């Protein structure tokens, strides 16, 4: 097509590009550079090489603790969310009465924001623990399971919708054939349903893994890292490094770069592994 | 036949039980919002009685403490404007860079896709400093910033759909004498409408609930609902649990109304957005 011109480029692309550059591109590149600098306000940046990265790992155990806590949390959350969401999707695609109402209920928590979710669950969990003389900040174990329960409650509905769409895409002819051949419901699930919904599984794993790794609001509202930073996840640790102590902005930025690289590696690795299974099946 | 029926009844019971479990937290918060603030944290699962029932007292103190009405206004204003701006500009950009494959446009597309994977913490400090320097630390500036952050996912979803639109429609419109701008809005955008609804839903859910970005950019002067809720916790030594419960209910009510009135689109949008993403 020949009707492209500078004038149209300015109207169609420049506004979005300008916003994208200011909100993302320039901050990303300067963030990358600043992770090798010491600074307080950006304009006073002084190049210090890898010092920030070394500090991030060696100053105190916070970053590694947060990393370990994040990994542990993501592992449990991803399994719980996907297993329950998949089972609910299977039950909701059987044409049972009330399916729409159930779906509405399961999805609803997903629309509530992380901060509000955190305080809702703080009330519930503290209410239960109060009977035993504890609160959610008494032990990191409570905070850990609290976060797993909270994010399951939030994410199950979303993943369930994706699994339902996947299951509904399976041609009924195949399911009929399996039934005629005398396949048990379990066998049908294992040999037909699960292989057919591999693309949905890929997407759900991607979304749950990246969301669990990046969790911030829920973490801040539910425990804010208590007791003594033991339930602090990576995003919250980075936030506290930036805004909690003056002079550590460079370290915070270095942690953020490491965090970005980690999220990117985990996400791409997962996509690569599950996409490969899709092709095989 | 009989076996199928029994298994259906069992499934129904499982689903019913799960929905009750899903609803308990919300119901508990609503019930507690009418209770005296001292009886909330100790016995949240007890219904209010004549001693602990306080009517709408918690709502009054919650609304006053956090200036909820202004928070509601800013949340609504920022969400509606940001989503509208995102739809208008990213649809145009997505169509343009998908149709005219210059090297710049292709690079731009990959940058948009790349931005989706980058965690917010990576850019939060430099971005908020930049917003400050450029004078974008006000609600209008925030809308501009949301356009930049929303561009990745939105352009990606729109582009996926633009590829399936035949070019002949656009060419016919150009031959009939429309310019590029008219062609886009009269011919292309009507076809993109279902996708625009998906993009609008996904962005509404994100912007309405977003906490950290608005907190860092405009948090000291303007509060949105999530900032107001967090402020209630952070502002004082001890939290007024009554006001907190009332605020949680007030934060949930608009979301539930939005959900129940556009449920069909939301469920479809989420499924469609995920398949593209």
């Amino acid at each position: 097509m020949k009707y492209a011109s500078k004038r149209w480029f300015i109207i169609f692309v420049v506004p979005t590009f300008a916003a994208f550059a200011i909100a993302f591109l320039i901050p990303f590149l300067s963030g990358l550079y600043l992770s090798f600098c010491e600074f307080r306000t950006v304009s006073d940046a002084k190049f210090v090489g890898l010092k920030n990265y070394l500090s991030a790992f060696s100053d105190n155990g916070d970053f590694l603790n947060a990393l370990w806590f994040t990994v542990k949390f993501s592992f449990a959350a991803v399994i719980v969310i996907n297993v329950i969401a998949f089972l609910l999707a299977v039950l909701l695609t059987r044409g049972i009465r009330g399916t729409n109402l159930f779906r509405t209920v399961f999805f609803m928590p997903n629309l509530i924001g992380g901060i509000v979710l955190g305080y809702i669950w703080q009330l519930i969990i503290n209410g239960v623990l109060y009977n035993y003389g504890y609160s959610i900040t008494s032990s990191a174990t409570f905070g850990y399971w609290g976060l797993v329960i909270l994010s399951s409650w939030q994410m199950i509905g979303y993943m369930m919708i994706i699994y339902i769409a996947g299951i509904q895409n399976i041609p009924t002819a195949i399911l009929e054939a399996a039934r005629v051949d005398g396949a048990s419901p379990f066998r049908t699930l294992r040999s037909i349903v699960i292989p057919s919904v591999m693309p949905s599984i890929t997407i759900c794993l991607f979304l749950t893994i990246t969301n669990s790794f990046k969790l911030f609001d829920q973490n801040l509202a539910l425990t804010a890292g208590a007791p003594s930073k033991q339930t602090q996840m990576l995003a919250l640790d980075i936030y506290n490094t930036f805004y909690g102590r003056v002079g550590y902005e460079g370290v915070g930025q270095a942690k953020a770069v490491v965090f970005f690289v980690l999220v990117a590696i985990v996400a791409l690795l997962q996509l690569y592994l599950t996409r490969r299974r899709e092709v095989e099946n | 036949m009989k076996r199928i029926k029994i298994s259906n009844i069992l499934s129904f019971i499982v689903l019913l039980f799960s929905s009750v479990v899903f609803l308990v937290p919300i119901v508990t918060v609503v019930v507690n919002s009418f209770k005296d603030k001292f009886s909330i944290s100790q016995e949240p699962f007890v219904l209010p009685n004549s001693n602990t029932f306080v009517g709408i007292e918690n709502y009054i103190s919650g609304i006053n403490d956090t200036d909820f009405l202004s928070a509601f206004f800013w949340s609504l204003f920022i969400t509606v404007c940001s989503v509208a701006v995102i739809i208008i500009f990213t649809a145009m950009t997505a169509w343009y860079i998908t149709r005219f494959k210059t090297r710049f446009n292709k690079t731009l597309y990959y940058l948009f896709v790349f931005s989706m994977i980058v965690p917010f913490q990576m850019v939060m400090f430099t971005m908020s400093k930049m917003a400050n320097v450029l004078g974008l630390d006000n609600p209008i500036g925030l809308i501009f910033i949301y356009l930049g952050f929303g561009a990745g996912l939105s352009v990606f979803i729109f582009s996926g759909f633009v590829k399936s639109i035949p070019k002949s429609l656009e060419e016919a419109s150009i031959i009939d004498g429309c310019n590029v701008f008219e062609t886009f809005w009269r011919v292309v955008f009507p076809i993109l409408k279902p996708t625009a609804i998906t993009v609008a839903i996904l962005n509404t859910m994100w912007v309405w609930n977003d906490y950290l970005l608005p907190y860092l950019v405009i948090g000291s002067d303007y509060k949105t609902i999530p900032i107001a809720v967090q402020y209630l916790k952070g502002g004082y030594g001890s939290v007024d649990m009554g006001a907190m419960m009332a605020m949680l209910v007030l934060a949930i009510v608009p979301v539930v109304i939005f959900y129940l009135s556009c449920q069909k689109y939301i469920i479809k949008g989420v499924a469609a957005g995920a398949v593209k993403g």
Side-chain angles (χ1 to χ4, degrees):
Chain A
M1 280 189 279
K2 292 176 198 125
Y3 43 86
S5 79
K6 275 221 178 80
R7 187 157 66 105
W8 298 122
F9 180 79
I10 288 169
I11 296 174
F12 276 73
V13 180
V14 168
T16 314
F17 180 67
F20 182 67
I22 289 170
F24 177 79
L25 266 188
I26 300 171
F28 179 83
L29 295 173
S30 59
L32 217 51
Y33 169 71
L34 285 173
S35 71
F36 300 100
C37 296
E38 225 171 74
F39 62 95
R40 283 183 194 178
T41 57
V42 177
S43 50
D44 61 349
K46 206 174 79 212
F47 193 82
V48 292
L50 287 173
K51 191 173 155 239
N52 292 328
Y53 288 88
L54 295 176
S55 303
F57 286 100
S58 63
D59 264 5
N60 49 38
D62 286 357
F63 191 56
L64 286 174
N65 284 340
L67 174 61
W68 177 231
F69 188 80
T70 307
V71 170
K72 272 197 307 186
F73 161 79
S74 304
F75 184 77
V78 166
I79 291 177
V80 172
I81 292 168
N82 282 286
V83 168
I84 298 180
F86 184 77
L87 293 178
L88 289 178
V90 170
L91 293 180
L92 288 177
T93 44
R94 301 181 49 164
I96 295 170
R97 190 173 300 178
T99 293
N100 280 338
L101 186 65
F102 289 133
R103 198 183 57 182
T104 306
V105 171
F106 295 141
F107 185 75
M108 185 145 60
N110 193 263
L111 288 139
I112 303 172
I115 294 286
V116 175
L117 283 171
Y119 290 117
I120 293 177
W121 278 96
Q122 200 182 56
L123 172 80
I124 306 290
I125 294 169
N126 275 338
V128 173
L129 291 175
Y130 185 82
N131 298 323
Y132 306 96
Y134 294 113
S135 82
I136 191 158
T137 49
S138 310
S139 145
T141 315
F142 297 143
Y144 174 77
W145 288 108
L147 280 169
V148 172
I149 294 170
L150 183 163
S151 44
S152 305
W153 191 63
Q154 179 184 20
M155 298 279 292
I156 281 173
Y158 199 114
M159 301 308 138
M160 176 197 76
I161 298 292
I162 301 173
Y163 283 127
I164 288 177
I167 294 173
Q168 281 171 343
N169 271 340
I170 303 173
T172 34
I174 302 182
L175 295 171
E176 277 295 295
R179 208 174 53 84
V180 171
D181 288 348
S184 68
F186 181 71
R187 178 76 208 206
T188 314
L189 188 68
R190 210 189 55 149
S191 304
I192 296 176
V193 177
I194 292 180
S196 316
V197 297
M198 261 329 270
S200 306
I201 295 177
T202 304
I203 297 158
C204 288
L205 284 179
F206 179 80
L207 291 173
T208 41
I209 291 173
T210 48
N211 280 333
S212 307
F213 255 80
K214 296 196 272 192
L215 204 72
F216 177 84
D217 297 0
Q218 293 86 336
N219 194 194
L220 177 69
L222 189 68
T223 66
S228 60
K229 297 185 180 175
Q230 286 179 55
T231 59
Q232 187 166 264
M233 293 176 59
L234 282 172
L236 186 57
D237 177 49
I238 293 168
Y239 176 82
N240 285 334
T241 314
F242 266 121
Y243 298 102
R245 35 217 291 238
V246 179
Y248 279 81
E249 288 82 359
V251 181
Q253 192 59 55
K255 286 181 177 181
V257 173
V258 175
F259 181 42
F260 153 64
V261 172
L262 262 169
V263 171
I265 291 175
V266 170
L268 294 177
L269 194 70
Q270 181 268 325
L271 279 184
Y272 170 75
L273 289 175
T274 43
R275 278 269 146 81
R276 209 176 48 172
R277 280 194 68 99
E278 276 174 41
V279 180
E280 276 171 18
N281 287 309
Chain B
M1 260 337 260
K2 215 170 184 185
R3 234 190 76 201
I4 291 174
K5 263 194 176 159
I6 289 171
S7 75
N8 272 355
I9 291 169
L10 275 177
S11 311
F12 184 81
I13 292 169
V14 171
L15 289 170
L16 192 66
F17 177 75
S18 318
S19 346
V20 172
V21 171
F22 262 75
L23 285 175
V24 162
I26 295 178
V27 174
T28 310
V29 169
V30 174
V31 168
N32 279 285
S33 69
F34 296 104
K35 274 159 60 173
D36 159 38
K37 59 185 163 192
F38 302 108
S39 65
I40 292 173
S41 33
Q42 292 170 17
E43 30 194 41
F45 305 114
V46 178
L47 287 173
N49 56 37
S50 54
N51 283 330
T52 55
F53 183 76
V54 294
I56 58 164
E57 201 175 276
N58 290 330
Y59 286 86
I60 295 169
S61 59
I63 289 172
N64 288 336
D65 287 355
T66 59
D67 201 355
F68 180 80
L69 294 179
S70 111
F72 179 81
F73 168 76
W74 285 120
S75 272
L76 193 68
F77 175 77
I78 291 166
T79 307
V80 170
C81 296
S82 302
V83 171
V85 166
I86 288 174
I87 296 287
I88 292 170
F89 286 103
T90 62
M92 295 204 299
T93 308
W95 175 74
Y96 195 89
I97 65 175
T98 310
R99 280 292 185 257
F100 308 114
K101 290 208 151 82
T102 60
R103 193 181 297 159
F104 178 85
N105 288 348
K106 272 195 224 161
T107 314
L108 192 56
Y109 176 76
Y110 287 114
L111 284 174
F112 283 135
V113 174
F114 169 75
S115 76
M116 286 193 285
I117 207 172
V118 177
F120 180 66
Q121 275 70 23
M122 175 68 203
V123 295
M124 88 185 160
F125 185 82
T126 37
M127 184 277 299
S128 48
K129 281 276 178 274
M130 187 133 165
N132 224 310
V133 171
L134 296 177
L136 295 171
D137 48 357
N138 54 62
I140 303 290
L142 184 64
I143 292 165
F144 184 70
I145 291 173
Y146 268 122
L147 171 62
F149 269 103
L153 180 69
S154 309
V155 167
F156 181 63
I157 294 178
F158 274 126
S159 288
F161 201 79
V162 165
K163 284 175 195 150
S164 67
I165 303 175
K167 280 184 195 170
S168 51
L169 284 174
E170 299 154 22
E171 279 156 353
S173 142
I174 295 285
I175 291 164
D176 286 347
C178 286
N179 63 31
V180 176
F181 191 76
E182 290 164 341
T183 302
F184 177 79
W185 287 108
R186 293 203 184 146
V187 179
V188 180
F189 193 77
I191 310 176
L192 284 177
K193 233 181 215 160
T195 315
I197 293 175
T198 300
V199 174
I201 299 272
L202 293 175
N203 282 305
T204 305
M205 285 164 58
W206 164 53
V207 176
W208 178 269
N209 290 322
D210 202 14
Y211 165 72
L212 195 50
L213 172 60
Y215 174 72
L216 291 176
V217 177
I218 60 167
S220 41
D221 301 320
Y222 306 90
K223 289 183 180 59
T224 60
I225 292 177
I227 298 175
V229 172
Q230 181 64 16
Y231 173 79
L232 202 54
K233 165 80 177 189
Y236 316 96
S238 67
V239 188
D240 177 349
M241 285 301 278
M244 178 60 104
M245 291 304 119
M247 290 301 292
L248 294 180
V249 173
L250 290 178
I252 296 171
V253 167
V255 170
V256 171
I257 293 173
F258 170 68
Y259 177 44
L260 294 180
S261 50
C262 324
Q263 200 199 146
K264 203 178 82 194
Y265 297 107
I266 293 174
I267 303 266
K268 259 192 208 155
V270 164
V275 172
K276 295 279 180 216

